[in-house]
């Protein structure tokens, strides 16, 4: 047995061992905690950086998201329309095979049936077609007298497309077509899309690139004498299409019997004429814009485009001629 | 005798000799008390050392609710119970096979117990079960009150009184078997 001094020495020795162990343990814990703290700080830093990055991306992506959504919508519409068009083309080709000859009017009737929204969602289609038919008959008599060089023709001829290069469009006042029509607001008759179509002897709404849409606030009207009850004396209308940022636009000015008065005298200039589907027209361009003027089925068209390629312009014009 | 609290305060102030004084005052009684748990005087000595080491490194607060002796015996008892838990054995003494006392144990007994009649009593106590031995040691040899013993043994005072009563009956029975009688019982 130990006496109390020996036991005290033993106790102090054990205390020293305990202290050394505790110091070692503390160092180990310190190392571990330092390591863990570093890892924790790194994780937090990574988290913050990621969040910051996401935030900045989110801010930037608000517009990008809208653009991408619009693109998706356009893509979907394009696919659906292509499918519809393919189906329609197949049906038409089958029917064409069956028939030897189809008059242009009947052909238009078929097209309007296929694309009901062009003439008012399928409502009163027969009436609309009747009106178009009567207009066509009338125009047949008068069109040659108005612009004999632009007689209607849909003969299967090869297209001749000549794009006149212009440094800038002729905006000289003296070159404007002479004559003005005074419009009386009391004579104004508002038209919807269907009514507008029935007013002209041909379709005035072309097929346009899929990113372009008809402007929502488009308003159509004609002017009739005697407070809107008499004879039509002006049916000039402007049909505008654009994409979302207005970087690509189409403006179609359309008027019965004559090329719209607001146009410039491209016909009187010494510009070479193009022929699409047998319809004579003048196509001019500068850096961004195309200007096309032509008469078709006694309806005058002045089309100006911006941001469109030549192919898109020609395809759009072709869609108006059937 | 209880200078334990003042010595402990001295030790907490940085006086290492105070711990030597505490060891000197409480070592023997603590070893003999812890021996009732482990039935091995050397292990009891180690446990007593561990009790003083714990006192030195953990520096627990003496809340002055009881005497310093009660407090240090409580710490010792907890250490002994931890030891027994680790060893997974609770020694229950076999009444038919009472171990012979080692010479070191006899020396300690003589130096601490001193009185001959108490030495006989102590040796007969070794035939009792651990709980009886512990309570009888605290009451008759350390001369603690039932309240102090209850604090060490973590029992109620009433529980300790019952335990003491039963331990005394059993001890008397054992003494009579050996042909002894003890007036204090």
């Amino acid at each position: 047995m130990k006496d109390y001094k020996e036991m005290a020495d033993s106790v102090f020795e054990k205390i020293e061992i305990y202290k050394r162990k505790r110091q070692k343990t503390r160092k180990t814990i310190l190392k571990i905690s330092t390591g863990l703290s570093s890892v924790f700080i790194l994780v937090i830093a990574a988290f913050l950086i990621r969040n910051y990055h996401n935030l900045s991306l989110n801010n930037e992506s608000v517009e990008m998201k809208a653009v991408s959504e619009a693109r998706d919508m356009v893509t979907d519409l394009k696919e659906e329309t292509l499918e519809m068009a393919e189906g329609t083309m197949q049906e038409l080709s089958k029917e064409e095979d069956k028939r030897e000859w189809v008059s242009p009017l009947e052909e238009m009737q078929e097209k309007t049936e296929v694309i009901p929204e062009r003439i008012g969602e399928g409502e009163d289609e027969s009436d609309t077609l009747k009106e178009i038919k009567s207009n066509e008959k009338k125009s047949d008599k008068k069109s040659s007298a108005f612009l004999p060089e632009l007689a209607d023709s849909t003969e299967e001829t090869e297209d001749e497309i000549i794009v006149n290069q212009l440094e800038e469009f002729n905006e000289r006042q003296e070159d404007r077509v002479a004559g003005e029509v005074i419009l009386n607001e009391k004579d104004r008759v508002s038209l919807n899309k269907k009514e507008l179509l029935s007013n002209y002897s041909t379709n005035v709404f072309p097929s346009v690139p899929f990113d372009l849409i008809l402007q929502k606030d488009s308003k159509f009207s004609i002017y009739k004498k005697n407070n809107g009850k008499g004879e039509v004396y002006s049916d000039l209308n402007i049909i505008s299409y654009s994409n979302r940022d207005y970087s690509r636009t189409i403006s179609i000015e359309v008027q019965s019997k004559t090329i719209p008065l607001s146009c410039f005298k491209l016909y009187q200039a010494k510009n070479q004429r193009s022929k699409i589907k047998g319809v004579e027209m003048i196509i001019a361009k500068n850096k961004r814009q195309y200007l096309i003027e032509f008469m078709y089925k006694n309806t005058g068209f002045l089309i100006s485009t911006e941001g469109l390629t030549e192919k898109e312009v020609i395809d759009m014009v072709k869609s108006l001629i059937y | 005798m209880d200078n334990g609290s003042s010595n402990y305060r001295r030790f907490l102030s940085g006086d290492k000799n105070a711990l030597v004084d505490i060891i000197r005052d409480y070592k023997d009684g603590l070893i003999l008390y812890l021996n009732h748990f482990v039935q091995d005087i050397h292990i009891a000595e180690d446990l007593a050392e561990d009790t003083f080491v714990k006192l030195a490194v953990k520096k627990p607060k003496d809340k002055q609710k009881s005497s310093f002796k009660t407090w240090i015996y409580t710490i010792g008892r907890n250490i002994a119970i931890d030891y027994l838990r680790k060893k997974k054995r609770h020694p229950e003494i076999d009444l038919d096979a009472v171990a012979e006392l080692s010479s070191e144990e006899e020396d300690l007994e003589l130096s601490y117990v001193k009185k001959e009649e108490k030495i006989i009593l102590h040796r007969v106590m070794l035939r009792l079960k651990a709980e009886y031995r512990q309570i009888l040691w605290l009451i008759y040899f350390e001369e603690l009150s039932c309240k102090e013993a209850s604090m060490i043994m973590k029992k109620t005072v009433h529980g300790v009184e019952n335990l003491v009563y039963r331990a005394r009956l059993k001890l008397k029975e054992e003494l009579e078997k050996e042909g002894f009688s003890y007036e204090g019982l």
Side-chain angles (χ1 to χ4, degrees):
Chain A
M1 290 289 292
K2 296 172 188 173
D3 64 7
Y4 78 93
K5 285 181 181 173
E6 287 171 337
M7 181 173 267
D9 290 341
S10 179
V11 166
F12 284 122
E13 197 177 324
K14 282 186 177 180
I15 290 167
E16 285 304 314
I17 291 167
Y18 175 84
K19 281 181 178 174
R20 279 199 293 273
K21 275 186 182 176
R22 191 169 62 175
Q23 206 169 3
K24 199 176 174 182
T25 310
R26 277 182 181 176
K27 280 182 181 175
T28 310
I29 290 168
L30 191 68
K31 279 181 185 174
I32 292 168
S33 58
T34 308
L36 286 173
S37 304
S38 305
V39 171
F40 182 71
I41 289 165
L42 281 172
V43 169
I44 294 290
F47 179 75
L48 290 174
I49 289 167
R50 191 180 163 189
N51 274 7
Y52 175 77
H53 186 61
N54 283 344
L55 276 173
S56 57
L57 271 180
N58 284 340
N59 290 336
E60 284 173 8
S61 65
V62 170
E63 289 182 11
M64 292 298 292
K65 195 178 175 184
V67 170
S68 66
E69 280 176 3
R71 278 182 187 160
D72 291 343
M73 280 173 62
V74 167
T75 309
D76 292 343
L77 277 170
K78 192 175 181 178
E79 285 171 2
E80 285 173 14
T81 313
L82 279 172
E83 283 173 10
M84 282 174 64
E86 279 176 13
T88 308
M89 289 300 288
Q90 283 173 1
E91 285 174 16
L92 282 172
S93 61
K94 282 176 188 175
E95 288 180 16
E96 277 173 4
D97 290 343
K98 291 174 188 174
R99 289 183 296 185
E100 290 182 354
W101 180 83
V102 181
S103 74
L105 184 62
E106 285 170 335
E107 195 177 8
M108 192 182 80
Q109 186 177 356
E110 286 170 8
K111 284 186 180 178
T112 50
E113 282 171 356
V114 173
I115 313 169
E117 67 274 14
R118 287 281 165 90
I119 54 170
E121 304 297 330
E123 294 171 6
D124 300 322
E125 284 177 14
S126 56
D127 295 340
T128 308
L129 286 168
K130 278 175 189 172
E131 285 181 45
I132 291 171
K133 193 175 176 181
S134 64
N135 287 337
E136 191 178 27
K137 282 177 182 174
K138 288 175 193 171
S139 68
D140 287 344
K141 294 174 186 174
K142 297 175 183 175
S143 60
S144 58
F146 182 68
L147 282 172
E149 71 275 21
L150 296 178
D152 294 341
S153 173
T154 53
E155 292 170 5
E156 288 299 323
T157 54
E158 285 186 9
D159 295 337
E160 290 175 26
I161 296 166
I162 301 164
V163 179
N164 298 285
Q165 296 291 332
L166 298 175
E167 286 186 7
E168 57 182 350
F169 290 125
N170 184 1
E171 293 181 351
R172 289 184 301 172
Q173 191 65 34
E174 59 270 27
D175 288 342
R176 285 180 179 272
V177 175
E180 290 179 359
V181 176
I182 298 167
L183 301 174
N184 188 342
E185 193 58 30
K186 289 179 182 176
D187 298 339
R188 187 172 179 274
V189 178
S190 294
L191 302 176
N192 59 28
K193 198 175 170 183
K194 173 191 154 190
E195 290 165 339
L196 184 74
L197 268 170
S198 67
N199 181 70
Y200 299 110
S201 55
T202 186
N203 177 31
V204 293
F205 293 98
S207 296
V208 296
F210 292 110
D211 60 328
L212 301 182
I213 52 170
L214 184 65
Q215 286 189 2
K216 286 179 182 176
D217 55 351
S218 295
K219 289 177 181 174
F220 308 116
S221 60
I222 56 174
Y223 289 82
K224 291 181 177 178
K225 292 177 181 174
N226 300 326
N227 295 329
K229 293 172 184 173
E231 186 188 352
V232 176
Y233 65 90
S234 174
D235 64 352
L236 173 67
N237 278 284
I238 301 171
I239 301 160
S240 298
Y241 296 87
S242 69
N243 65 353
R244 298 237 174 196
D245 62 359
Y246 296 92
S247 61
R248 284 156 56 80
T249 61
I250 298 173
S251 174
I252 301 167
E253 293 180 37
V254 60
Q255 189 170 14
S256 294
K257 301 173 187 175
T258 183
I259 291 171
L261 285 172
S262 60
C263 73
F264 301 103
K265 297 190 294 182
L266 285 180
Y267 272 106
Q268 292 180 15
K270 291 178 180 178
N271 287 321
Q272 288 185 289
R273 299 181 183 193
S274 302
K275 198 174 264 187
I276 293 176
K277 292 186 178 178
V279 177
E280 203 170 85
M281 61 184 68
I282 291 178
I283 303 172
K285 69 169 279 192
N286 66 359
K287 287 179 184 175
R288 274 185 64 81
Q289 291 175 301
Y290 280 87
L291 190 69
I292 302 114
E293 287 184 359
F294 63 96
M295 285 291 295
Y296 178 62
K297 290 190 186 293
N298 202 31
T299 304
F301 290 88
L302 167 66
I303 303 170
S304 61
T305 71
E306 192 169 332
L308 268 71
T309 63
E310 186 176 318
K311 186 179 181 307
E312 287 174 326
V313 173
I314 299 302
D315 288 345
M316 182 265 295
V317 172
K318 278 182 178 178
S319 71
L320 290 167
I321 302 165
Y322 44 87
Chain B
M1 170 192 165
D2 195 358
N3 293 320
S5 293
S6 57
N7 286 335
Y8 187 60
R9 280 197 295 275
R10 273 172 54 213
F11 170 71
L12 290 179
S13 305
D15 184 359
K16 286 189 176 180
N17 289 327
L19 186 63
V20 178
D21 292 341
I22 291 169
I23 293 169
R24 183 195 63 210
D25 292 343
Y26 297 102
K27 155 182 145 351
D28 292 343
L30 188 61
I31 291 170
L32 285 170
Y33 171 63
L34 296 176
N35 190 42
H36 291 300
F37 287 87
V38 294
Q39 289 291 293
D40 185 321
I41 196 71
H42 298 291
I43 293 170
E45 191 178 14
D46 282 343
L47 294 177
E49 270 184 21
D50 289 346
T51 305
F52 295 121
V53 170
K54 188 170 184 178
L55 201 67
V57 298
K58 300 284 182 184
K59 294 176 181 171
K61 285 183 180 176
D62 180 10
K63 295 176 183 174
Q64 304 286 332
K65 285 183 178 177
S66 57
S67 66
F68 185 77
K69 190 177 193 176
T70 309
W71 187 54
I72 202 167
Y73 272 50
T74 308
I75 295 169
R77 179 182 179 272
N78 291 338
I79 288 172
I81 288 170
D82 286 344
Y83 169 81
L84 292 174
R85 278 180 185 154
K86 283 177 188 172
K87 293 289 179 184
K88 292 183 179 178
R89 68 181 178 90
H90 284 271
E92 291 294 332
I93 193 159
D94 186 355
L95 293 175
D96 298 327
V98 179
E100 291 289 324
L101 288 178
S102 66
S103 57
E104 288 171 330
E105 201 171 349
E106 282 183 17
D107 291 344
L108 185 62
E109 192 181 51
L110 284 170
S111 68
Y112 193 71
V113 181
K114 292 174 186 171
K115 288 182 181 175
E116 181 63 25
E117 54 185 9
K118 277 203 172 183
I119 289 172
I120 294 165
L121 188 65
H122 183 243
R123 288 184 181 176
V124 175
M125 268 170 56
L126 294 175
R127 298 183 184 190
L128 305 179
K129 64 177 185 178
E131 202 173 28
Y132 290 169
R133 289 200 313 270
Q134 288 165 28
I135 192 66
L136 290 173
W137 174 262
L138 292 175
I139 298 292
Y140 291 105
F141 292 84
E142 295 294 347
E143 296 177 343
L144 297 176
S145 66
C146 282
K147 189 180 178 183
E148 286 172 322
S150 71
M151 291 170 85
I152 294 170
M153 296 189 74
K154 293 189 167 55
K155 288 180 182 292
T156 61
V157 177
H158 186 66
V160 167
E161 285 171 352
N162 280 337
L163 191 63
V164 170
Y165 176 73
R166 282 186 274 119
R168 280 169 60 194
L169 284 179
K170 191 68 185 172
L171 181 61
K172 195 175 179 181
E173 189 181 320
E174 290 298 322
L175 283 169
E176 284 170 358
K177 278 183 188 173
E178 296 292 324
F180 297 111
S181 63
Y182 187 71
E183 290 176 357
L185 291 173

